[in-house]
């Protein structure tokens, strides 16, 4: 949560930067002080404090303080334990699992519920209208895009996943109003994905961008009508193949899938049951 604020700090208006600096100086005090005291200490108005909370991805001050209190008071470990060349297998097990658990718990506190609400609403409406839901990613993110396509395909959605930059551009060009393009990126700096996101937006589709806050791709997700699902982590992806980021992206996909399935309601259940029956028949037929 604090990492997200640090990343967003340069792009905030001067008044909101003062609120951010007050937060970073003493997160525990920020979580407990009333809005009037926060405004006085930051030398800003009360509405500015609320605008700051929304600028960094939360519903408002109450939502922000609730997540902040959970982050600073639960004692969730957030030390990313880098592996070393002389680590024994037992060391690797502890470090890799601890890194994953810490990242997942912190993302639970960081996740902006209002952004997920907007994404689920857009995806549900697209699925109902039988419009197109497309998932774009490259490298490890391309694998996450394929997983997302498989999950949404089972919901009866008209889905497509692609990890080839040229095909992404062509596919984005064929999108239109009512369609959704879900862009998944660890770094948020892939030129191909940025181009695909820009084309999809210009064609009238809703882009749902899953990436690191403060990145160029994240800035595109903050444009009107688009959705940013910020995913931040301390992983050094210059040294290692991304592991924690992939897990976090898969979690985001699972949350979206669950939310959309609930919104599609009872009409979805008979189809899922029929799929299971058909798979069971194929699997066990002699």
């Amino acid at each position: 949560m604090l990492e997200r604020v640090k990343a967003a700090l340069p792009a905030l208006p001067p008044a909101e930067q003062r609120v951010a600096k007050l937060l970073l100086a003493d997160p525990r005090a920020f979580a407990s002080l009333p809005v009037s005291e926060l405004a006085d200490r930051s030398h800003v108005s009360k509405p500015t404090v609320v605008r700051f909370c929304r600028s960094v991805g939360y519903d408002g001050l109450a939502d922000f303080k609730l997540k902040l209190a959970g982050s600073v008071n639960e004692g969730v470990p957030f030390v990313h334990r880098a592996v070393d060349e002389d680590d024994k297998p037992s060391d690797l097990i502890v470090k890799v699992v601890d890194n994953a658990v810490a990242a997942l718990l912190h993302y639970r506190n960081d996740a902006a519920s209002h952004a997920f609400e907007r994404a689920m609403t857009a995806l549900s409406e697209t699925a109902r209208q039988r419009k197109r839901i497309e998932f774009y990613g490259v490298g490890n993110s391309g694998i996450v895009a394929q997983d997302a396509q498989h999950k949404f395909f089972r919901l009866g959605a008209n889905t497509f996943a692609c990890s080839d930059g040229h095909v992404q551009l062509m596919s984005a060009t064929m999108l239109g109003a009512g369609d959704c393009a879900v862009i998944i990126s660890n770094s948020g700096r892939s030129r191909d994905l940025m181009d695909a996101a820009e084309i999809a937006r210009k064609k009238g589709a809703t882009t749902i961008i899953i990436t690191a806050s403060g990145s160029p791709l994240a800035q595109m997700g903050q444009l009107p009508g688009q959705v940013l699902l910020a995913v931040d982590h301390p992983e050094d992806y210059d040294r290692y193949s991304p592991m924690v980021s992939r897990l976090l992206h898969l979690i985001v996909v699972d949350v979206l899938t669950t939310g959309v399935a609930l919104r599609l309601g009872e009409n979805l259940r008979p189809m899922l049951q029929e799929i299971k029956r058909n798979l069971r028949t194929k699997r066990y037929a002699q």
Side-chain angles (χ1 to χ4, degrees):
M1 191 169 184
L2 298 179
E3 285 73 18
R4 177 185 299 182
V5 173
K6 290 177 183 177
L9 186 60
L12 295 174
E16 293 182 24
Q17 286 187 13
R18 293 199 290 274
V19 182
K21 290 176 182 177
L22 177 68
L23 162 70
L24 295 173
D26 192 349
R28 289 182 183 275
F30 194 100
S32 62
L33 291 173
V35 63
S36 57
E37 183 70 17
L38 294 173
D40 288 343
R41 294 191 181 191
S42 304
H43 306 291
V44 299
S45 65
K46 295 178 184 178
T48 298
V49 176
V50 177
R51 282 196 299 271
F52 157 75
C53 298
R54 291 174 177 162
S55 294
V56 293
Y58 296 87
D59 290 338
L61 181 60
D63 180 49
F64 184 87
K65 292 176 72 173
L66 179 64
K67 299 287 181 64
L68 179 62
S71 178
V72 300
N73 293 329
E74 286 183 354
V76 176
F78 200 34
V79 178
H80 194 273
R81 305 173 66 184
V83 298
D84 300 311
E85 293 181 358
D86 58 349
D87 279 343
K88 299 176 181 178
S90 58
D91 298 325
L92 293 178
I93 292 171
V94 171
K95 287 185 177 182
V96 172
V97 173
D98 281 358
N99 288 345
V101 170
L104 291 171
L105 289 174
H106 267 267
Y107 184 69
R108 180 197 63 186
N109 291 332
D110 285 355
S113 57
H114 77 284
F116 272 94
E117 175 70 28
R118 292 173 55 210
M120 292 173 187
T121 299
L123 291 166
S124 301
E125 187 60 26
T126 298
R128 286 194 188 96
Q129 299 298 323
R130 298 296 298 164
K131 294 281 190 174
R132 298 169 65 185
I133 300 176
E134 306 208 339
F135 300 92
Y136 303 151
V138 296
N140 276 285
S141 297
I143 297 173
V144 178
Q146 292 176 0
D147 178 76
Q149 187 273 337
H150 176 71
K151 287 184 169 67
F152 275 80
F153 161 77
R154 294 183 62 201
L155 301 182
N158 182 14
T159 63
F160 172 72
C162 178
S163 58
D164 181 275
H166 290 86
V167 178
Q168 287 169 356
L169 295 183
M170 291 187 286
S171 186
T173 303
M174 292 185 284
L175 295 176
D179 295 325
C180 283
V182 182
I183 318 292
I184 306 166
S185 175
N186 180 32
S187 67
R189 300 180 183 279
S190 167
R191 185 73 259 174
D192 286 344
L193 292 177
M194 292 171 64
D195 289 343
E198 179 65 11
I199 291 171
R201 184 184 68 83
K202 288 183 176 178
K203 297 297 291 187
T206 298
T207 60
I208 299 169
I209 296 177
I210 304 171
T211 193
S213 61
S215 66
L217 193 56
Q219 294 175 13
M220 299 176 70
Q222 294 174 311
L223 295 173
Q226 316 310 306
V227 183
L228 170 63
L229 298 177
V231 179
D232 297 307
H233 56 84
E235 187 170 46
D236 183 359
Y237 53 81
D238 290 330
R239 287 186 61 190
Y240 315 114
S241 175
M243 293 180 285
V244 169
S245 61
R246 185 183 70 251
L247 292 175
L248 291 174
H249 291 166
L250 289 169
I251 285 291
V252 171
V253 168
D254 283 350
V255 173
L256 292 175
T257 305
T258 304
V260 171
L262 292 173
R263 282 163 173 74
L264 294 179
E266 293 297 323
N267 293 334
L268 180 62
R269 188 168 300 170
M271 181 183 65
L272 293 177
Q273 291 173 341
E274 183 176 2
I275 290 174
K276 289 183 178 180
R277 284 197 302 270
N278 290 337
L279 288 174
R280 191 180 300 114
T281 300
K282 177 177 177 59
R283 186 176 302 144
Y284 297 115
Q286 298 296 329

